[in-house]
Amino acid sequence: MPLSDDQPRTRTRLPVGEQSSPQQNHRQSRPLRALLAVLVVVTLLVVAIAIANRVTPGSGSGTGGGGASADRAGSGPAPSGDQPVGTTVNGIPTGYPHTEPGAQSAATNYAVAIGSADMFRTDSRHGIITTIADPGALAGLQGRLDQGFGGDTATRYGLDAQGHAPKGLTFVSRTVPVGTKSTGYSDGDAKVEVWCTGLTGLAGEHSVQPVTTNWFTLTLSLHWTGSDWKLTDFTRKSGPAPLPGDQQAATADEIAGSAEQFGGFRYAR
């Protein structure tokens, strides 16, 4: 029943501590607005950092083949190679992509094989050459490498006619690629330079050919056979060599132990 204007009304007063006021409501909303503002700023910063650091694959230029972006100045080309190689023959990775990066990966692995200790033994050398060589270049490469790694070369390193080290000594020959550079590429042929450092010599007590390091560049010519990149020719030149570090040389036993305990790498990038 509605009240008339002249009827008394009852008012309820809350305790002072329970009464709200516009000022209090305004003060209570301030922390919420401040928190929302902070969250918005943080979100914008995260998005900005993500955009700034994002590198789009394949955005690089040049023949390095690795998708290096323009702001990588001074860091060199990114490692080349589109996909890992899943097959090996005679311990050498095979089955490279029919691409420029695939040719670089093939050249890198072939450089490792050519510079291995197995090249000083006739049977294993022929197996390596058969694996990496283009069939049309096989005979020429085999004759050339037989001459380069057998006979006088083996004797110069203190090896016997079969490429074996004297008893008590360990023969070390390893090639370690530092980087690659494509100097020519077409659908059927590629030329790749591989900058390398290497270890060569006899490790052990009383060795007359201690293990030494050297720097060199291999230039490998490759041909696409229809299923893989294969070697047709190669040349070698010295350097470029950096200044040697101020580091004490290891003992003969330490080098021999390291050569036997530390395995080498395959380079299927």
Side-chain angles (χ1 to χ4, degrees):
M1 173 175 159
L3 297 174
S4 62
D5 291 339
D6 57 350
Q7 287 181 308
R9 290 179 172 84
T10 302
R11 295 182 179 179
T12 302
R13 296 182 61 86
L14 295 173
V16 174
E18 298 181 12
Q19 295 184 39
S20 60
S21 65
Q23 292 81 1
Q24 286 178 320
N25 291 334
H26 183 66
R27 285 195 300 268
Q28 289 172 359
S29 64
R30 284 181 180 175
L32 180 59
R33 286 202 300 269
L35 178 60
L36 289 175
V38 170
L39 290 175
V40 169
V41 171
V42 171
T43 301
L44 291 175
L45 285 174
V46 171
V47 172
I49 293 173
I51 293 174
N53 290 337
R54 184 175 59 190
V55 177
T56 303
S59 62
S61 59
T63 58
S69 63
D71 60 357
R72 288 173 53 87
S75 62
S80 62
D82 296 327
Q83 58 189 21
V85 176
T87 58
T88 61
V89 177
N90 291 326
I92 303 170
T94 58
Y96 299 94
H98 188 192
T99 61
E100 187 173 2
Q104 290 188 31
S105 290
T108 304
N109 281 298
Y110 296 166
V112 172
I114 292 172
S116 68
D118 289 336
M119 289 293 291
F120 288 83
R121 296 189 291 273
T122 302
D123 54 348
S124 57
R125 178 171 64 249
H126 288 177
I128 291 172
I129 299 169
T130 301
T131 302
I132 69 176
D134 179 84
L138 176 59
L141 285 172
Q142 183 165 301
R144 178 181 168 191
L145 291 168
D146 281 344
Q147 183 177 5
F149 284 91
D152 293 341
T153 302
T155 302
R156 188 167 68 249
Y157 282 106
L159 307 176
D160 62 19
Q162 288 72 43
H164 297 121
K167 185 177 180 180
L169 298 178
T170 301
F171 179 61
V172 179
S173 180
R174 292 193 186 182
T175 292
V176 183
V178 177
T180 63
K181 180 176 68 174
S182 178
T183 57
Y185 181 80
S186 66
D187 189 58
D189 296 283
K191 183 172 286 188
V192 181
E193 291 186 2
V194 185
W195 182 31
C196 307
T197 183
L199 304 173
T200 313
L202 285 172
E205 293 293 335
H206 311 298
S207 170
V208 296
Q209 293 286 347
V211 178
T212 59
T213 61
N214 56 94
W215 290 83
F216 53 95
T217 300
L218 292 174
T219 300
L220 295 92
S221 298
L222 306 173
H223 177 69
W224 180 254
T225 63
S227 59
D228 206 356
W229 290 106
K230 295 297 182 180
L231 182 70
T232 59
D233 194 15
F234 75 95
T235 59
R236 168 176 166 151
K237 64 179 181 181
S238 298
L243 288 173
D246 184 13
Q247 191 171 13
Q248 183 176 354
T251 65
D253 287 341
E254 288 174 333
I255 292 294
S258 296
E260 294 172 351
Q261 296 168 17
F262 289 85
F265 290 100
R266 298 183 182 129
Y267 293 78
R269 301 175 298 167

PDB file of all heavy atoms in Angstrom, residues 14 20 40-41 62 83 88 91 99 117 137 161 182 211 228 238:
ATOM      1  N   LEU A  14      22.887   2.919   8.806  1.00  0.00           N
ATOM      2  CA  LEU A  14      23.936   1.923   9.033  1.00  0.00           C
ATOM      3  C   LEU A  14      25.022   2.524   9.903  1.00  0.00           C
ATOM      4  O   LEU A  14      25.214   3.745   9.938  1.00  0.00           O
ATOM      5  CB  LEU A  14      24.541   1.487   7.701  1.00  0.00           C
ATOM      6  CG  LEU A  14      23.586   0.740   6.753  1.00  0.00           C
ATOM      7  CD1 LEU A  14      24.280   0.539   5.413  1.00  0.00           C
ATOM      8  CD2 LEU A  14      23.140  -0.574   7.351  1.00  0.00           C
ATOM      9  N   SER A  20      28.767   3.323   2.713  1.00  0.00           N
ATOM     10  CA  SER A  20      29.624   3.559   1.543  1.00  0.00           C
ATOM     11  C   SER A  20      29.410   4.970   1.060  1.00  0.00           C
ATOM     12  O   SER A  20      28.364   5.561   1.288  1.00  0.00           O
ATOM     13  CB  SER A  20      29.290   2.567   0.422  1.00  0.00           C
ATOM     14  OG  SER A  20      27.942   2.716   0.021  1.00  0.00           O
ATOM     15  N   VAL A  40      48.005  -4.702 -19.412  1.00  0.00           N
ATOM     16  CA  VAL A  40      48.001  -4.304 -20.809  1.00  0.00           C
ATOM     17  C   VAL A  40      49.411  -3.937 -21.262  1.00  0.00           C
ATOM     18  O   VAL A  40      49.871  -4.343 -22.340  1.00  0.00           O
ATOM     19  CB  VAL A  40      47.029  -3.131 -21.039  1.00  0.00           C
ATOM     20  CG1 VAL A  40      47.221  -2.554 -22.435  1.00  0.00           C
ATOM     21  CG2 VAL A  40      45.584  -3.581 -20.844  1.00  0.00           C
ATOM     22  N   VAL A  41      50.139  -3.181 -20.431  1.00  0.00           N
ATOM     23  CA  VAL A  41      51.503  -2.768 -20.788  1.00  0.00           C
ATOM     24  C   VAL A  41      52.414  -3.982 -20.925  1.00  0.00           C
ATOM     25  O   VAL A  41      53.207  -4.103 -21.871  1.00  0.00           O
ATOM     26  CB  VAL A  41      52.047  -1.783 -19.744  1.00  0.00           C
ATOM     27  CG1 VAL A  41      53.534  -1.522 -19.994  1.00  0.00           C
ATOM     28  CG2 VAL A  41      51.279  -0.473 -19.795  1.00  0.00           C
ATOM     29  N   GLY A  62      72.188 -14.776 -50.472  1.00  0.00           N
ATOM     30  CA  GLY A  62      73.533 -15.229 -50.763  1.00  0.00           C
ATOM     31  C   GLY A  62      73.559 -16.715 -50.969  1.00  0.00           C
ATOM     32  O   GLY A  62      72.568 -17.408 -50.967  1.00  0.00           O
ATOM     33  N   GLN A  83      67.575 -30.960 -44.397  1.00  0.00           N
ATOM     34  CA  GLN A  83      67.050 -32.077 -43.634  1.00  0.00           C
ATOM     35  C   GLN A  83      68.182 -33.041 -43.330  1.00  0.00           C
ATOM     36  O   GLN A  83      69.185 -33.084 -44.028  1.00  0.00           O
ATOM     37  CB  GLN A  83      65.961 -32.798 -44.447  1.00  0.00           C
ATOM     38  CG  GLN A  83      66.454 -33.323 -45.795  1.00  0.00           C
ATOM     39  CD  GLN A  83      65.315 -33.823 -46.663  1.00  0.00           C
ATOM     40  OE1 GLN A  83      64.172 -33.463 -46.472  1.00  0.00           O
ATOM     41  NE2 GLN A  83      65.642 -34.664 -47.626  1.00  0.00           N
ATOM     42  N   THR A  88      73.649 -44.311 -44.649  1.00  0.00           N
ATOM     43  CA  THR A  88      75.104 -44.301 -44.745  1.00  0.00           C
ATOM     44  C   THR A  88      75.566 -45.498 -45.558  1.00  0.00           C
ATOM     45  O   THR A  88      74.934 -46.543 -45.562  1.00  0.00           O
ATOM     46  CB  THR A  88      75.772 -44.348 -43.360  1.00  0.00           C
ATOM     47  OG1 THR A  88      75.384 -45.564 -42.695  1.00  0.00           O
ATOM     48  CG2 THR A  88      75.380 -43.150 -42.503  1.00  0.00           C
ATOM     49  N   GLY A  91      79.969 -46.155 -43.733  1.00  0.00           N
ATOM     50  CA  GLY A  91      80.082 -45.162 -42.668  1.00  0.00           C
ATOM     51  C   GLY A  91      79.996 -43.721 -43.117  1.00  0.00           C
ATOM     52  O   GLY A  91      80.138 -42.807 -42.308  1.00  0.00           O
ATOM     53  N   THR A  99      69.609 -29.985 -53.740  1.00  0.00           N
ATOM     54  CA  THR A  99      69.585 -28.549 -53.496  1.00  0.00           C
ATOM     55  C   THR A  99      71.010 -28.062 -53.292  1.00  0.00           C
ATOM     56  O   THR A  99      71.937 -28.862 -53.110  1.00  0.00           O
ATOM     57  CB  THR A  99      68.764 -28.201 -52.239  1.00  0.00           C
ATOM     58  OG1 THR A  99      69.377 -28.846 -51.102  1.00  0.00           O
ATOM     59  CG2 THR A  99      67.316 -28.658 -52.358  1.00  0.00           C
ATOM     60  N   ALA A 117      91.991 -41.435 -41.606  1.00  0.00           N
ATOM     61  CA  ALA A 117      93.081 -42.409 -41.569  1.00  0.00           C
ATOM     62  C   ALA A 117      92.795 -43.608 -42.461  1.00  0.00           C
ATOM     63  O   ALA A 117      93.727 -44.270 -42.941  1.00  0.00           O
ATOM     64  CB  ALA A 117      93.309 -42.864 -40.121  1.00  0.00           C
ATOM     65  N   ALA A 137      83.725 -40.652 -62.884  1.00  0.00           N
ATOM     66  CA  ALA A 137      85.012 -40.133 -62.432  1.00  0.00           C
ATOM     67  C   ALA A 137      85.739 -41.111 -61.513  1.00  0.00           C
ATOM     68  O   ALA A 137      86.829 -40.802 -61.022  1.00  0.00           O
ATOM     69  CB  ALA A 137      84.807 -38.803 -61.697  1.00  0.00           C
ATOM     70  N   ALA A 161     103.372 -50.767 -45.731  1.00  0.00           N
ATOM     71  CA  ALA A 161     102.758 -50.780 -47.056  1.00  0.00           C
ATOM     72  C   ALA A 161     101.240 -50.921 -46.986  1.00  0.00           C
ATOM     73  O   ALA A 161     100.525 -50.524 -47.910  1.00  0.00           O
ATOM     74  CB  ALA A 161     103.360 -51.906 -47.900  1.00  0.00           C
ATOM     75  N   SER A 182      79.589 -22.091 -51.183  1.00  0.00           N
ATOM     76  CA  SER A 182      79.248 -22.506 -52.532  1.00  0.00           C
ATOM     77  C   SER A 182      79.824 -21.508 -53.527  1.00  0.00           C
ATOM     78  O   SER A 182      79.595 -20.307 -53.424  1.00  0.00           O
ATOM     79  CB  SER A 182      77.720 -22.594 -52.682  1.00  0.00           C
ATOM     80  OG  SER A 182      77.374 -22.946 -54.000  1.00  0.00           O
ATOM     81  N   VAL A 211     101.880 -35.753 -33.859  1.00  0.00           N
ATOM     82  CA  VAL A 211     100.629 -35.222 -34.411  1.00  0.00           C
ATOM     83  C   VAL A 211     100.680 -33.697 -34.428  1.00  0.00           C
ATOM     84  O   VAL A 211     100.963 -33.060 -33.407  1.00  0.00           O
ATOM     85  CB  VAL A 211      99.423 -35.711 -33.594  1.00  0.00           C
ATOM     86  CG1 VAL A 211      98.127 -35.107 -34.136  1.00  0.00           C
ATOM     87  CG2 VAL A 211      99.345 -37.238 -33.626  1.00  0.00           C
ATOM     88  N   ASP A 228      71.752 -38.661 -55.958  1.00  0.00           N
ATOM     89  CA  ASP A 228      72.645 -38.150 -54.919  1.00  0.00           C
ATOM     90  C   ASP A 228      73.728 -37.282 -55.549  1.00  0.00           C
ATOM     91  O   ASP A 228      73.964 -37.331 -56.764  1.00  0.00           O
ATOM     92  CB  ASP A 228      73.295 -39.325 -54.168  1.00  0.00           C
ATOM     93  CG  ASP A 228      73.715 -38.956 -52.752  1.00  0.00           C
ATOM     94  OD1 ASP A 228      73.579 -37.768 -52.371  1.00  0.00           O
ATOM     95  OD2 ASP A 228      74.163 -39.852 -52.010  1.00  0.00           O
ATOM     96  N   SER A 238      96.548 -24.516 -49.083  1.00  0.00           N
ATOM     97  CA  SER A 238      96.821 -24.233 -47.673  1.00  0.00           C
ATOM     98  C   SER A 238      96.043 -23.024 -47.196  1.00  0.00           C
ATOM     99  O   SER A 238      95.766 -22.090 -47.966  1.00  0.00           O
ATOM    100  CB  SER A 238      98.318 -23.982 -47.472  1.00  0.00           C
ATOM    101  OG  SER A 238      99.075 -25.115 -47.806  1.00  0.00           O
TER     102      SER A 238
END
